C-alpha cells in the first residue's frame, strides 16, 4: 500500500518540488519514500509496507517500463506462479512485482487479471512515450490529475493536497462545487472542487502522450453461476456469497503486519468480523462510541458480536468536548468537502487502530450498495410517480433543493441557475433518463448508478483518506471482483425478498452472526448531530463561531439570515433538518478555510 505521484511530459519537476508533493501525504506512506526521474517523466511513492516488507521498492522497473502502485493485489501469488512458469523471475513476496510482467504480456488488459484494489501508473517509454493510469472497478483508491496550461504535462497524485504542491497546480475553485456538494453530500467525480482538476473514475484507463488525455472504462461482467435449482434463490445466493467471502477473507488476512476488523454493530461489519474470527480466533475488533448517553448507540451490538465470535474487542470512546478539534483535522485530510457526520468517528477510529499497533483493518463497506441495503432503493423502485427521481435524489442531498432556494445568496442562486440549475435536480433527471434507457430492472439501475456516481466519492474517498491519514490500510471484502460479479448477476427479487433488503447478505450471515443483529432494523453508522448540535454542546458553539464569523468564507454562497434562522429553529424545535444542514455548512466552511484562499465566487 502506498501513496503515489508523478508527472509525464514537458519539463520534469525538480527533486525539491517532488519532495514537497511526497511530504504532503507522508502519513499514507511513512515506511519508505522513493523517486525516479527521467527525461520528461517522474514517478514517486510513499510506502506503507504491508506485503513483502523486505522487498517491493518502487518504482518497479523493466527496461523502458516504470510503474508505481497504490493498493493490494490479493491474487498476486497465483499470478506470480503463472508468470514464473513463463520464465519471469521474482525476489521476495511483494504483490506489486507482478504488475509490469503482466503489462508486458497483456498491455492495458492486464488489469482484468488483477483482484484487489489499486491505482496504478505506468510510464511506457517504448516507441512513443506515454503514461497509463488505471483504477479498480469499485474505485477504492483515489487518483487525481490535471493537465498543464500548455497541454504538455500531466501531473497526478493520490491526494489533492499533494497534487497542489506542483507549482502550476490550477488552484481555481469551481464555484459550482458548493452546489454539487450540498446536492450530493460530497463532490461527485470525475470533476473536483477545482475547475481544471479531475479524478479518475472507477474501472478507468487513462492514456496520455501530450495534449488531451483519452479515458476509457473497463467492464466487470456479471457472474454466470450454475444455480442448484436452475435459477437464483435467496438461499442459493446466500450460500454462494458466504463461500466467496470466505475465500476473499483468506486472502485479506494474509499480510506481513497485524490485521484487525472494524465492528460497528451492524450486519455487514458483524458478518465481516465473524468471517475473520473463524480464521483468526483472537482477531482484534474495534468499535467507536461517544461518552455519555446518545441516540443510535450501537456499542452493545458490537460487544455482543465480539463475544459471540471470540474477538479481542477494543471499545474506543470519544469525548464530544473534543469534537471541534477533530472536525478541523478530518476535514483537512478529506481533500474535498463531505458531509457524512461519521467522518469524525471514522477518523478517530482509525487513529485508535493505528495507536494499537495495527496497519490493516477490514471493513464491511459496499454490501448496501451491491445488494440493495438501503430503504431508499426500494422506495424509489416502487415509486411510480412522475417525480420519483427528484424525490430519490433528494435523499442523497445534504440539503434538499427546496432548502437551497432559501439558503443560497441571490448572486450565487443566479449563478447556479445560469449554469443549468441545481445539481440535485440535474442528477435526478439524468437518473430518470438512465432508467428509461436501461435493459436492467429499475432497482438494478439504481444500484449501478449509486455504485458509479455516489459511492466512490461519498463513501470510498472517506474510507481511503481517513484510514491512510493514520497509516492504516482499509481492506474491503465486499468490493472484490468475485463478490461484485455475483451481485450484478442477481435479480431484484433475490436482493430484496418481500420486505427484506439485502436478503443474500442476511442469509449468508445467519449462520455466523447473532440473530439479534441479523434481524434488527438497519441503523446507519453515524454521528447523532441533532443531539450534539444544541446549546451547551461543543459542536453548537463551533458551528456558530465558524458560520457567523465576519470573515466566514461561506458568506460568498450562504445567506447569513438563513443560518441564524436555522440556529433559531434548532433551539426552538430541535430536529434533523436544521442540525444536518448546519453540520454540512460547518464542513464546507472548515474546508474552504483550510483548502482555498483564492478568488471568491462571481
Amino acid at each position: 500500500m502506498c501513496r503515489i505521484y508523478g508527472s509525464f511530459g514537458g519539463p520534469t519537476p525538480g527533486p525539491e518540488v517532488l519532495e514537497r508533493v511526497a511530504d504532503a501525504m507522508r502519513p499514507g506512506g511513512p515506511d519508505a519514500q522513493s523517486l525516479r526521474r527521467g527525461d520528461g517523466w517522474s514517478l514517486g511513492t510513499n510506502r506503507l509496507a504491508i506485503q513483502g516488507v523486505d522487498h517491493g521498492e518502487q518504482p518497479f522497473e523493466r527496461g523502458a517500463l516504470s510503474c508505481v502502485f497504490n493498493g493490494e493485489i490479493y491474487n498476486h501469488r497465483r499470478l506470480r506462479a503463472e508468470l514464473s512458469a513463463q520464465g519471469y523471475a521474482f525476489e521476495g513476496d511483494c504483490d506489486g512485482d507482478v504488475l509490469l510482467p503482466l503489462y508486458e504480456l497483456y498491455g492495458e488488459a492486464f488489469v482484468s487479471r488483477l483482484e484487489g484494489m489499486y491505482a496504478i501508473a505506468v510510464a511506457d517509454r517504448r516507441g512513443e512515450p506515454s503514461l497509463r493510469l488505471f483504477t479498480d472497478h469499485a474505485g477504492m483508491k483515489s487518483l487525481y490529475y490535471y493537465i498543464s496550461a500548455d497541454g504538455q504535462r500531466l501531473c497526478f497524485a493520490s491526494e489533492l493536497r499533494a497534487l497542489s504542491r506542483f507549482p502550476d497546480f490550477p488552484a481555481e475553485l469551481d464555484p459550482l462545487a458548493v452546489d454539487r456538494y450540498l446536492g450530493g453530500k460530497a463532490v461527485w467525480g470525475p470533476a473536483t472542487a477545482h475547475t481544471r482538476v479531475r479524478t479518475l473514475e472507477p474501472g478507468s484507463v487513462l492514456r496520455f502522450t501530450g495534449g488531451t488525455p483519452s479515458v476509457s472504462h473497463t467492464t466487470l461482467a456479471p457472474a454466470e453461476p450454475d444455480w442448484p435449482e436452475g435459477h437464483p434463490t435467496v438461499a442459493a445466493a446466500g450460500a454462494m456469497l458466504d463461500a466467496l467471502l470466505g475465500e476473499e477473507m483468506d486472502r485479506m488476512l494474509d499480510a506481513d503486519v497485524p490485521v484487525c476488523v472494524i465492528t460497528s454493530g451492524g450486519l455487514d461489519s458483524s458478518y465481516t468480523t465473524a468471517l475473520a474470527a473463524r480464521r483468526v480466533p483472537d482477531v482484534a475488533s474495534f468499535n467507536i462510541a461517544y461518552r455519555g448517553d446518545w441516540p443510535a448507540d450501537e456499542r452493545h451490538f458490537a460487544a455482543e458480536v465480539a463475544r459471540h465470535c471470540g474477538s479481542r474487542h477494543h471499545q474506543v470512546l470519544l469525548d464530544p468536548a473534543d469534537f471541534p478539534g477533530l472536525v478541523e483535522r478530518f476535514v483537512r485530510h478529506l481533500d474535498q468537502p463531505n458531509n457524512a457526520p461519521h467522518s469524525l468517528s471514522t477518523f478517530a477510529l482509525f487513529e485508535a487502530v493505528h495507536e494499537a499497533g495495527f496497519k490493516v483493518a477490514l471493513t464491511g463497506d459496499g454490501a448496501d450498495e451491491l445488494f440493495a441495503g438501503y430503504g431508499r432503493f426500494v422506495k424509489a423502485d416502487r415509486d411510480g410517480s412522475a417525480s420519483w427521481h427528484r424525490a430519490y435524489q433528494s435523499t442523497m442531498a445534504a440539503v434538499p433543493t427546496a432548502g437551497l432556494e432559501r439558503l443560497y445568496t441571490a448572486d450565487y442562486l443566479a449563478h447556479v441557475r445560469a449554469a443549468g440549475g441545481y445539481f440535485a435536480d440535474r442528477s435526478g433527471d439524468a437518473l430518470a433518463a438512465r432508467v428509461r434507457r436501461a435493459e436492467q430492472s429499475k432497482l438494478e439501475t439504481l444500484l449501478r448508478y449509486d455504485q458509479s456516481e455516489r459511492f466512490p466519492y461519498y463513501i470510498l474517498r472517506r474510507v481511503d483518506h481517513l484510514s491512510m491519514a493514520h497509516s492504516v490500510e482499509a481492506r474491503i471484502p465486499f468490493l472484490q471482483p468475485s463478490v461484485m460479479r455475483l451481485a450484478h448477476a442477481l435479480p431484484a427479487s433475490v436482493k430484496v425478498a418481500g420486505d427484506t433488503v439485502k436478503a443474500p447478505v442476511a442469509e449468508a450471515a445467519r449462520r455466523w452472526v447473532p440473530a439479534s443483529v441479523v434481524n434488527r432494523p438497519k441503523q446507519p453508522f453515524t454521528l447523532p448531530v441533532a443531539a450534539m448540535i444544541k446549546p451547551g454542546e461543543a459542536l453548537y458553539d463551533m458551528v456558530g463561531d465558524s458560520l457567523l464569523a465576519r470573515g466566514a468564507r461561506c458568506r460568498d454562497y450562504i445567506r447569513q439570515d438563513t443560518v441564524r434562522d436555522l440556529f433559531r429553529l434548532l433551539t426552538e424545535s430541535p430536529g434533523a433538518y436544521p442540525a444536518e444542514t448546519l453540520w454540512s455548512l460547518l464542513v464546507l466552511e472548515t474546508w474552504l478555510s483550510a483548502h482555498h484562499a483564492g478568488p471568491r465566487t462571481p
Side-chain angles (χ1 to χ4, degrees):
M1 177 68 72
C2 300
R3 283 321 207 190
I4 65 174
Y5 60 95
S7 65
F8 192 88
T12 305
E16 68 286 348
V17 169
L18 296 170
E19 183 177 349
R20 288 196 296 270
V21 174
D23 285 346
M25 50 186 179
R26 191 173 293 270
D31 297 328
Q33 284 71 44
S34 57
L35 171 67
R36 298 289 188 277
R37 297 171 65 246
D39 184 13
W41 66 275
S42 65
L43 295 176
T45 62
N46 292 356
R47 187 184 186 198
L48 180 64
I50 301 294
Q51 191 71 46
V53 171
D54 294 333
H55 299 85
E57 180 182 351
Q58 297 193 41
F60 305 106
E61 296 187 284
R62 290 186 63 84
L65 297 174
S66 300
C67 168
V68 289
F69 153 61
N70 174 26
E72 294 288 345
I73 307 303
Y74 301 120
N75 63 333
H76 70 100
R77 290 198 170 87
R78 177 174 60 79
L79 294 171
R80 186 187 305 266
E82 294 176 4
L83 291 165
S84 296
Q86 298 185 56
Y88 287 93
F90 299 95
E91 181 181 357
D93 191 37
C94 179
D95 54 330
D97 289 338
V98 303
L99 298 177
L100 284 181
L102 288 171
Y103 181 80
E104 280 188 328
L105 290 173
Y106 304 107
E108 292 179 359
F110 86 103
V111 291
S112 67
R113 304 180 63 82
L114 304 179
E115 297 173 9
M117 56 181 176
Y118 54 81
I120 302 169
V122 177
D124 187 342
R125 302 180 302 284
R126 303 172 303 178
E128 182 182 18
S130 63
L131 176 72
R132 302 286 198 280
L133 302 178
F134 305 86
T135 52
D136 66 73
H137 287 96
M140 286 176 275
K141 307 308 294 181
S142 56
L143 201 60
Y144 302 95
Y145 68 94
Y146 71 90
I147 310 296
S148 60
D150 63 6
Q152 297 306 302
R153 183 172 68 226
L154 183 149
C155 296
F156 68 90
S158 297
E159 298 181 15
L160 261 176
R161 64 178 181 158
L163 191 64
S164 71
R165 299 306 194 268
F166 283 102
D168 62 345
F169 175 77
E172 179 189 0
L173 181 67
D174 179 0
L176 291 174
V178 171
D179 180 61
R180 286 157 51 212
Y181 159 62
L182 293 175
K185 297 186 178 180
V187 181
W188 297 7
T192 70
H194 298 279
T195 305
R196 288 179 38 223
V197 181
R198 298 180 74 78
T199 185
L200 202 56
E201 296 174 276
S204 292
V205 181
L206 179 149
R207 308 163 196 85
F208 181 76
T209 58
T212 303
S214 65
V215 179
S216 61
H217 303 279
T218 60
T219 58
L220 194 63
E224 298 180 357
D226 184 13
W227 299 108
E229 298 180 27
H231 61 88
T233 63
V234 172
M240 185 169 292
L241 176 62
D242 192 47
L244 289 175
L245 284 173
E247 294 172 3
E248 297 297 347
M249 193 61 66
D250 287 335
R251 300 195 297 190
M252 291 199 169
L253 291 168
D254 179 13
D256 295 339
V257 297
V259 179
C260 68
V261 63
I262 304 301
T263 308
S264 71
L267 174 61
D268 309 329
S269 67
S270 298
Y271 182 29
T272 302
T273 301
L275 290 173
R278 287 170 56 198
R279 291 156 174 81
V280 181
D282 63 341
V283 69
S285 57
F286 283 78
N287 174 264
I288 195 160
Y290 318 110
R291 296 189 186 279
D293 184 16
W294 300 100
D297 190 338
E298 295 184 285
R299 78 183 82 177
H300 56 291
F301 288 110
E304 181 183 2
V305 169
R307 289 191 298 271
H308 183 85
C309 299
S311 64
R312 288 185 290 115
H313 197 52
H314 297 67
Q315 183 63 67
V316 181
L317 286 177
L318 293 183
D319 187 340
D322 298 332
F323 284 0
L326 281 172
V327 169
E328 294 176 352
R329 292 173 63 203
F330 87 73
V331 170
R332 186 166 63 250
H333 282 282
L334 273 177
D335 270 341
Q336 300 191 87
N338 184 311
N339 100 314
H342 51 290
S343 292
L344 184 152
S345 313
T346 301
F347 180 81
L349 180 58
F350 281 120
E351 185 170 45
V353 167
H354 170 78
E355 291 174 349
F358 293 90
K359 296 180 78 170
V360 176
L362 307 183
T363 82
D365 294 290
D368 289 315
E369 289 75 14
L370 288 172
F371 295 96
Y374 296 124
R376 60 180 166 86
F377 292 138
V378 179
K379 183 177 180 180
D381 181 45
R382 297 172 179 176
D383 186 348
S385 69
S387 59
W388 70 268
H389 53 291
R390 293 281 182 98
Y392 175 75
Q393 189 68 31
S394 71
T395 67
M396 292 189 286
V399 182
T401 54
L404 297 178
E405 290 275 351
R406 169 74 175 145
L407 189 63
Y408 288 159
T409 65
D411 287 348
Y412 187 59
L413 186 59
H415 188 68
V416 169
R417 287 172 172 166
Y422 297 114
F423 169 80
D425 287 348
R426 290 185 286 108
S427 298
D429 294 346
L431 172 60
R434 188 165 171 169
V435 167
R436 288 193 296 269
R437 295 192 307 266
E439 298 179 1
Q440 305 153 328
S441 68
K442 184 180 180 182
L443 178 63
E444 185 61 27
T445 304
L446 291 170
L447 294 175
R448 299 292 185 95
Y449 172 81
D450 197 282
Q451 291 161 30
S452 64
E453 303 299 320
R454 181 201 69 102
F455 182 55
Y457 311 107
Y458 180 58
I459 303 289
L460 294 181
R461 287 297 74 76
R462 187 170 74 240
V463 174
D464 178 34
H465 286 255
L466 299 184
S467 61
M468 294 293 273
H470 298 297
S471 306
V472 174
E473 173 184 291
R475 294 184 172 183
I476 311 177
F478 278 103
L479 296 183
Q480 296 316 298
S482 65
V483 180
M484 292 182 70
R485 293 180 67 239
L486 172 63
H488 292 168
L490 296 176
S493 59
V494 171
K495 290 175 179 171
V496 179
D499 292 327
T500 303
V501 298
K502 204 166 45 181
V505 180
E507 181 68 21
R510 204 172 299 280
R511 293 174 59 196
W512 316 113
V513 176
S516 59
V517 173
V518 175
N519 296 328
R520 75 185 181 96
K522 180 175 177 57
Q523 178 179 315
F525 171 56
T526 190
L527 185 78
V529 291
M532 291 183 168
I533 303 180
K534 64 181 182 181
E537 298 296 334
L539 276 182
Y540 181 88
D541 293 335
M542 183 184 187
V543 170
D545 292 344
S546 299
L547 300 183
L548 298 176
R550 185 179 300 275
R553 292 202 60 88
C554 67
R555 285 173 175 261
D556 291 343
Y557 313 95
I558 307 301
R559 292 173 52 170
Q560 293 292 288
D561 60 332
T562 301
V563 173
R564 292 188 179 90
D565 286 345
L566 288 168
F567 269 105
R568 187 178 306 111
L569 179 61
L570 191 65
T571 302
E572 297 173 355
S573 180
Y577 174 73
E580 291 174 4
T581 300
L582 289 170
W583 169 265
S584 300
L585 296 179
L586 172 65
V587 171
L588 175 63
E589 176 61 31
T590 306
W591 181 83
L592 286 168
S593 299
H595 289 273
H596 183 70
R600 295 179 177 243
T601 181

